[in-house]
Amino acid sequence: MKWPLFGRGRTTTTKVEDAPAPPTVAAPPAPPAAAESAPRRGGFRFEDPEGSETSLQAAAPPPPVDDLAAVVRRKTEGRRPGLRVADRGVSPMMVAGMRERAALYRLAAEQRAETAPEEALALWRGYLELCPTDGEGWFVYGQCLADGGELDAAWNAFVEARRHAPSHAYAAAALGYLCQARGDLDGASRYYGQAVELAEDAAPLLESLAEVQAQSGCEAEASVTRARLARLRAAD
């Protein structure tokens, strides 16, 4: 079922094994016991209350606990290739956002409309799940459904198109066409009339309206529409 106006308008995954746990850092050995009489050179010397002397070597304060993991990584990097993700042939992957994914769905759907209509319909559904307020998207989706003979689903799609894009003349005309296909000439005249008011300079819409008016026996109205169509063509 083809309406003349419809002409317009291996996924692979890379398994990354768990990186081995960082090596256990052994606690530093306890300092040797201080001699009873420590040398003066390189140390501090003091006498306790009982008169014995003890030497304390100057030592740097231990690193903060928060920096311990960084110290271990710095000292072990380059020695354990298994710790580096790049050494395993894995590279960062950019994940498409919602807008990019929606654009890809729509582009693929438009490209497959003629050669793989079922696949195109699935892609349009995926697109409209991401962009449910795109009136033009609903209209094109309805075109695909109508071309495939799914007239009830196409009707719902065109209704959605008008809800999100009230000034979409061809969505109104599409509803008129479906009414005409069902034999509802009054509904067809009403929707085609709305389409003509939204796009007064669209000759194909005037032609369709005049045809339906004549089919329904409204010759006077059909004559007015034909005269309007003649003036439009003369102005071109």
Side-chain angles (χ1 to χ4, degrees):
M1 185 174 190
K2 187 74 173 179
W3 181 37
L5 298 181
F6 282 178
R8 63 161 231 116
R10 172 169 148 119
T11 301
T12 59
T13 57
T14 303
K15 182 179 179 181
V16 181
E17 300 177 357
D18 294 333
T24 303
V25 180
E36 293 182 358
S37 179
R40 295 174 179 273
R41 186 184 310 165
F44 297 102
R45 185 180 181 89
F46 68 93
E47 294 184 0
D48 60 19
E50 299 178 355
S52 62
E53 296 179 346
T54 305
S55 175
L56 299 180
Q57 296 292 328
V65 176
D66 293 341
D67 295 338
L68 181 58
V71 172
V72 172
R73 284 196 299 269
R74 186 171 64 251
K75 290 182 176 296
T76 58
E77 188 174 5
R79 303 177 188 176
R80 298 286 301 277
L83 294 177
R84 300 180 67 243
V85 176
D87 293 335
R88 300 188 175 198
V90 180
S91 58
M93 181 181 66
M94 299 299 294
V95 179
M98 182 179 296
R99 291 183 179 180
E100 291 80 3
R101 193 159 62 248
L104 290 174
Y105 280 169
R106 179 164 186 160
L107 179 61
E110 292 172 347
Q111 291 175 342
R112 290 163 173 77
E114 296 294 333
T115 59
E118 291 299 326
E119 186 177 350
L121 284 173
L123 289 166
W124 274 117
R125 284 190 289 270
Y127 169 76
L128 290 169
E129 287 179 1
L130 297 173
C131 302
T133 60
D134 184 354
E136 180 66 20
W138 281 107
F139 172 73
V140 181
Y141 178 52
Q143 289 180 316
C144 295
L145 290 167
D147 287 346
E150 301 182 44
L151 301 187
D152 291 339
W155 178 277
N156 294 333
F158 292 135
V159 169
E160 285 295 312
R162 293 203 72 194
R163 185 163 74 92
H164 298 295
S167 61
H168 201 303
Y170 282 86
L175 292 174
Y177 171 74
L178 292 179
C179 286
Q180 186 179 4
R182 296 171 177 175
D184 180 9
L185 297 180
D186 290 339
S189 296
R190 182 172 67 256
Y191 283 116
Y192 274 129
Q194 293 174 7
V196 166
E197 295 306 316
L198 291 170
E200 298 180 357
D201 58 347
L205 300 182
L206 287 168
E207 290 177 346
S208 297
L209 176 59
E211 178 185 350
V212 170
Q213 289 171 335
Q215 288 178 353
S216 60
C218 302
E219 284 296 337
E221 295 178 1
S223 296
V224 172
T225 303
R226 293 191 189 100
R228 182 176 174 181
L229 176 59
R231 291 194 298 270
L232 178 62
R233 287 174 171 169
D236 291 340

